[in-house]
Amino acid sequence: LHKEYRRQRQMCIRDRIYNSYLLEHVDFKDEDLVIDCGANVGEFYHAINNRDKSITYIGFEPDNKAYECLKLNIISSKSLLENKALSINSSKSKLYLDTSGGNSSLEKFSSSEYIEVQTIKLDEYRIEGTIKLLKIEAEGHEPEVLAGGLKTLLRTQYVSVDFGPERGESEDFTIVEVNKILYENNFELIKFSQFRYIGLYKNKLI
């Protein structure tokens, strides 16, 4: 009975993630490439694969402790996991930590604890072919992630991005900056989540 309860609870969590990121509006097919910025411990990957879709997956997670869990939770020959942070340039940067809350960020917030991490531009990462979906949850660093991936956006069909109030100590929204970058690069907002500040954008040229 306890195992069944845990199974049902896990399914509810996966369904909530699936719906929060508006994935029901993305026509996933087997082998579709999904890039996950802010992979945390792998919930997003399993939310998609739980729907009997065998995706190709690249997950970026700079928080070391979360990354160790991510490696345990995703064991697939079609997945590639990176202990790096996506940003506007490739360098070293401070990652301010909130591991237990899943809110570690390159943007300085109330946490004084940090580690130094490697950042990388998405455009400098070797990715071939069309990207079905780019999911971005960068805890307020979303504009920089997009600015570092403008060439990659040309080959991306959908972007699902969390632009809620998480930028820095003032907890600003990033919706204005995110909208500007995506609209200037031929994306349009097609759905807005009922659960969180998440928008789903579609490339008008693909």
Side-chain angles (χ1 to χ4, degrees):
L1 184 63
H2 180 62
K3 288 183 179 179
E4 177 61 19
Y5 170 77
R6 287 182 61 188
R7 188 184 72 84
Q8 292 291 338
R9 184 172 182 274
Q10 288 174 347
M11 288 180 62
C12 288
I13 293 172
R14 289 170 183 170
D15 286 346
R16 185 61 178 261
I17 292 170
Y18 195 90
N19 294 330
S20 292
Y21 285 97
L22 303 156
L23 302 184
E24 68 270 27
H25 303 287
V26 179
D27 54 334
F28 287 108
K29 297 179 176 60
D30 289 339
E31 312 301 328
D32 275 344
L33 175 58
V34 173
I35 300 176
D36 188 355
C37 170
N40 197 250
V41 298
E43 308 100 316
F44 188 79
Y45 168 87
H46 287 289
I48 298 175
N49 268 24
N50 189 49
R51 302 298 178 105
D52 296 321
K53 298 298 181 184
S54 181
I55 61 170
T56 301
Y57 175 87
I58 303 174
F60 292 87
E61 177 50 57
D63 186 314
N64 292 335
K65 291 181 179 179
Y67 180 73
E68 291 303 314
C69 294
L70 179 68
K71 290 194 297 182
L72 294 174
N73 288 332
I74 300 180
I75 302 174
S76 168
S77 60
K78 294 188 292 184
S79 66
L80 184 61
L81 309 177
E82 294 285 358
N83 190 202
K84 298 176 182 177
L86 291 176
S87 189
I88 197 170
N89 51 40
S90 297
S91 63
K92 294 285 188 178
S93 185
K94 290 180 180 179
L95 180 75
Y96 296 91
L97 297 175
D98 178 12
T99 304
S100 61
N103 298 315
S104 297
S105 176
L106 293 176
E107 301 294 323
K108 175 115 176 35
F109 61 105
S110 57
S111 174
S112 59
E113 183 182 359
Y114 67 86
I115 58 173
E116 190 174 76
V117 299
Q118 177 67 49
T119 65
I120 184 172
K121 290 177 62 173
L122 187 56
D123 281 346
E124 293 182 359
Y125 197 83
R126 297 185 64 180
I127 301 171
E128 297 181 357
T130 300
I131 299 154
K132 187 68 170 195
L133 174 72
L134 169 61
K135 168 257 189 179
I136 305 176
E137 184 163 352
E139 308 302 329
H141 200 68
E142 297 81 26
E144 288 78 8
V145 173
L146 288 168
L150 297 182
K151 294 179 181 178
T152 306
L153 288 177
L154 297 174
R155 298 184 287 110
T156 301
Q157 189 172 1
Y158 293 94
V159 176
S160 183
V161 56
D162 184 334
F163 36 50
E166 299 171 316
R167 188 175 179 88
E169 295 178 334
S170 57
E171 298 183 334
D172 295 325
F173 289 88
T174 58
I175 184 169
V176 173
E177 296 89 341
V178 165
N179 264 307
K180 184 175 187 296
I181 294 171
L182 288 173
Y183 272 75
E184 288 177 351
N185 287 273
N186 298 305
F187 281 81
E188 60 180 345
L189 180 66
I190 59 172
K191 291 292 178 180
F192 193 89
S193 177
Q194 298 179 7
F195 305 103
R196 294 165 55 186
Y197 292 104
I198 293 174
L200 179 66
Y201 297 79
K202 188 177 187 303
N203 191 331
K204 293 183 288 185
L205 304 181
I206 298 180

